[in-house]
Amino acid sequence: MARAPQLDPADRHRLLDGAHHDPHALLGAHPLPDGGVLFRALRPFAHAVTVVAEGVRANLHPEGDGLFAGVLPLDGVPDYRLVIAYGEPDAPVPLEQHDPYLFLPAVGELDLHLIGEGRHEQLWQALGAHPMTHQGVTGTRFTVWAPNARGVRVTGDFTCWNGTCYPMRSMGATGVWELFVPGIGEGAVYKFDIACPDGSHTLRADPMARRTECPPDTASVVTASAHEWTDGEWMRDRPKQRVHQSPFSVYEVHLGSWRPGLTYRELAEQLPAYVRDLGFTHVELMPVAEHPFGPSWGYQVTGYYAPTARLGSPDDFKYLVDALHRAGIGVIMDWVPAHFPKDDWALARFDGTPLYEPADPRRAEHPDWGTLEFDYGRTEVRNFLVANAVYWCEEFHIDGLRVDAVASMLYLDYSREGGDWAPNQYGGRENLDAVAFLQEMNATVYRRCPGVVTIAEESTAWNGVTRATHHTGPDGFGGLGFGLKWNMGWMHDSLGYMAHEPVHRKYHHNEMTFSMVYAYSENYVLPISHDEVVHGKQALVTKMPGDWWQRRANHRAYLGFMWAHPGKQLLFMGQEFAQGAEWSERHGPEWWLTDDTYHSAGDHRGVRDLVRDLNHRYAAEPALWERDTDPSGFTWIDGGAAEDNVFAFLRHDAQGAPLLCVSHFSPVVREDYRLGVPGDHAGWQEVLNTDEARYGGSGVGNPDPLKPEPTEWHGRRTSIRLTLPPL
């Protein structure tokens, strides 16, 4: 074998420094103008590299720094392999493999075009690590977006974490870097070594990784799915569901602490049965995407495309979703596009420059959480997030996305003082880029994933959160396009009312009625979430005044009011059996409270029995959900009985049939309490009473049908007389 022409010194330096945009022009096999084929390989720590082809076996000449090269008298590039000898020269350990620099790009022109436009709705299929067969050879295609990098190399356990030998090629103006590495398959662990504009290097996890190492390890893992879905019936029927006219009762779960120590597959054996028994229609999972810090509960995400490895593999998570669907339970997932942590191995300054975050620190820094906000004005970043929303719905069959911290996205001055924020182009405080992103995300998800619902955690009075994106409101903005919105005002006001001793509640009566002033301004969910029962907030039953009996009675009465009120409902785990301690991710719900060995287990099981009956009654009464977003589905009977601590109203189904809902938040029994009712019904039957003895109540109620009397009351010609139990 003849010696190869020397590399240009500048090219050699950039190649060895990992800063060359086109390593395929220097490495691999190339016909020479004067005849013959030049072979060059970069294999650090090898003491010999041999080219092997049909009828050919020749050693390349060492050029130093891990470079080996030579010229063979061939007419064209053969189908060849490299044999790399590692170890001691007198006891070599040969490794035979295809040369990565023999292959054409494995990412398509259409993919690159869509990435450049920021319109690749299945971005995860173009970027990241994908095991595949390319040009008849099995291996893994590595692709990453790093537009400001001087060079990118892939490294991992297959290089003994030496970043030198696998430099990637730039795919032009898209900012994408690509390399197909033969012989690398599922389970390989990797990162990207990025040469930054300032000459430094940074080692980064793959933003598009679909599997990660288990924290505290931070590398990405090559993966391919082998899960075979069994929820075909659920997925066929999902587009038929009309969420606003259907039962929608949500059990919020932190998977890591619901039953501490269980994996996704072990959860699949217990969670669906528990949720189905209690009658909830959906679970909402606190963030599942990979995150480095457990006590963040998943709200500081580093792996947007990877379910957390703490509980198993991506296929294991699919198994859990599959099991929930087979049990008839929809799956909502918390999604966090508002901010990301500053870890130097993740998204922050990914290619040595602000990339996923804005360059202006006044827009990049999130003041509340010490994190960074996304640059929603950059097409590729917006594409990263929009495709991520689609990814969970399409690849994992997720039925809903609850979008966290929407308010912090919408306002440029969110938690910022006067000089710490920059106004938009019109001088306003609205983040126009975030508005456009949320509209695009919602429109894309609803178009691609029929039957999926998006839910906003939005704590302000932003107009049109659940209005269609093409309908412009009085503020000049189109709607954000969400399906539902958490009603934070109802949560705050109603919990404030319940915290007062009953004797003082008459002075706060409007805190319970005010929600009906705006109940139909958006499509609402009534949330009693993890945020209300964590450290410093107290558990729901502990927020209630009085002794243990009164606290439980208040707790039950409040749940009854919540299920009867217009809007969907959400309850966090542990509150369904009146857990007294605040929630902690370290130990989860206090299940022992319901064990026979605990002396007050009956008290806690009674509350759980009520939640079960509330859900089953809710599902059986179309009046509670059929006209949930229609003002004609609600009528006050008496919203002003402050002295009595009573709220009475009607809910109507699509045909107008009424359900009478009465909440009594006083600890006394009220006999012969008269309420005006519609006159075209022969009698009224009590269908649920939170004071029943089996729930732990006093057993006061109305067991017999109540016959209307021709006595005018509350502006109606007929009325009934009830017994109102205490609380």
Side-chain angles (χ1 to χ4, degrees), residues 229-241 281-282 321-322 324-331 397-399 450-451:
W229 289 96
T230 60
D231 62 349
E233 182 178 356
W234 174 274
M235 296 299 289
R236 283 192 302 271
D237 291 343
R238 187 173 75 177
K240 304 173 187 176
Q241 294 297 317
T281 65
H282 290 73
V321 175
D322 214 348
L324 286 160
H325 283 172
R326 291 197 307 273
I329 307 299
V331 182
H397 293 194
I398 296 297
D399 305 296

Side-chain angles (χ1 to χ4, degrees), residues 420-713:
D420 295 336
W421 63 280
N424 64 33
Q425 65 200 66
Y426 304 109
R429 58 195 287 257
E430 301 86 2
N431 188 334
L432 304 180
D433 292 332
V435 171
F437 156 66
L438 291 170
Q439 291 173 327
E440 181 183 347
M441 181 277 297
N442 280 311
T444 305
V445 167
Y446 278 106
R447 171 171 50 81
R448 292 190 63 100
C449 311
V452 168
V453 62
T454 59
I455 307 168
E457 187 218 9
E458 202 284 309
S459 56
T460 73
W462 182 279
N463 183 270
V465 172
T466 59
R467 189 172 63 235
T469 57
H470 60 284
H471 288 170
T472 302
D475 52 6
F477 289 101
L480 296 183
F482 285 95
L484 296 166
K485 172 184 173 176
W486 273 22
N487 194 335
M488 311 296 279
W490 173 88
M491 176 274 298
H492 180 271
D493 290 346
S494 62
L495 289 180
Y497 174 89
M498 295 303 299
H500 293 291
E501 293 285 348
V503 69
H504 299 303
R505 285 174 175 166
K506 63 183 178 181
Y507 303 111
H508 302 272
H509 196 77
N510 66 305
E511 293 176 10
M512 292 289 260
T513 59
F514 179 64
S515 60
M516 289 311 304
V517 173
Y518 61 87
Y520 300 101
S521 62
E522 302 278 6
N523 306 323
Y524 283 115
V525 175
L526 312 179
I528 299 299
S529 72
H530 65 278
D531 275 335
E532 311 318 315
V533 298
V534 295
H535 180 66
K537 295 287 190 73
Q538 299 182 312
L540 185 56
V541 74
T542 313
K543 297 176 189 286
M544 306 298 171
D547 59 22
W548 175 232
W549 190 94
Q550 290 174 323
R551 287 186 172 191
R552 284 184 293 121
N554 275 300
H555 182 98
R556 295 192 306 270
Y558 181 70
L559 293 177
F561 177 79
M562 176 179 173
W563 257 252
H565 192 285
K568 313 305 181 183
Q569 54 275 330
L570 176 144
L571 190 66
F572 184 60
M573 63 184 195
Q575 312 317 299
E576 77 274 15
F577 58 84
Q579 173 176 313
E582 296 165 327
W583 171 67
S584 166
E585 82 283 349
R586 293 188 301 274
H587 55 72
E590 296 182 321
W591 297 107
W592 55 271
L593 293 173
T594 61
D595 290 342
D596 288 334
T597 54
Y598 180 58
H599 62 83
S600 295
D603 296 343
H604 297 277
R605 289 200 296 257
V607 175
R608 188 168 62 187
D609 289 343
L610 170 65
V611 170
R612 180 187 297 107
D613 289 354
L614 280 170
N615 275 325
H616 290 159
R617 175 55 55 185
Y618 169 73
E621 297 286 351
L624 291 174
W625 42 263
E626 209 164 36
R627 295 163 79 176
D628 221 7
T629 59
D630 182 350
S632 65
F634 177 93
T635 306
W636 277 114
I637 296 293
D638 190 357
E643 291 291 335
D644 300 331
N645 302 146
V646 169
F647 306 86
F649 52 86
L650 296 170
R651 300 292 304 277
H652 307 276
D653 66 16
Q655 285 70 46
L659 178 71
L660 176 60
C661 307
V662 187
S663 290
H664 175 222
F665 291 108
S666 176
V668 300
V669 178
R670 299 193 189 278
E671 305 279 359
D672 293 327
Y673 195 85
R674 190 176 292 276
L675 291 174
V677 293
D680 51 353
H681 299 280
W684 296 77
Q685 178 68 51
E686 183 179 277
V687 294
L688 191 140
N689 180 349
T690 67
D691 191 52
E692 284 190 35
R694 63 196 180 97
Y695 303 143
S698 59
V700 174
N702 302 271
D704 299 321
L706 301 173
K707 186 175 182 180
E709 300 174 355
T711 302
E712 290 193 21
W713 212 259

Side-chain angles (χ1 to χ4, degrees), residues 206-210 212 288-291 298-307 333 335-341 347 356 372 374 384-385 388-389 391-392 396:
D206 184 357
M208 301 294 298
R210 291 168 293 132
T212 69
V288 174
E290 193 59 270
H291 52 283
Y299 290 100
Q300 295 194 7
V301 178
T302 49
Y304 274 82
Y305 285 79
M333 189 185 83
W335 187 53
V336 193
H339 63 123
F340 58 92
L347 295 181
Y356 288 89
L372 296 171
F374 283 99
F384 172 82
L385 292 170
N388 187 243
Y391 170 74
W392 290 104
F396 290 89

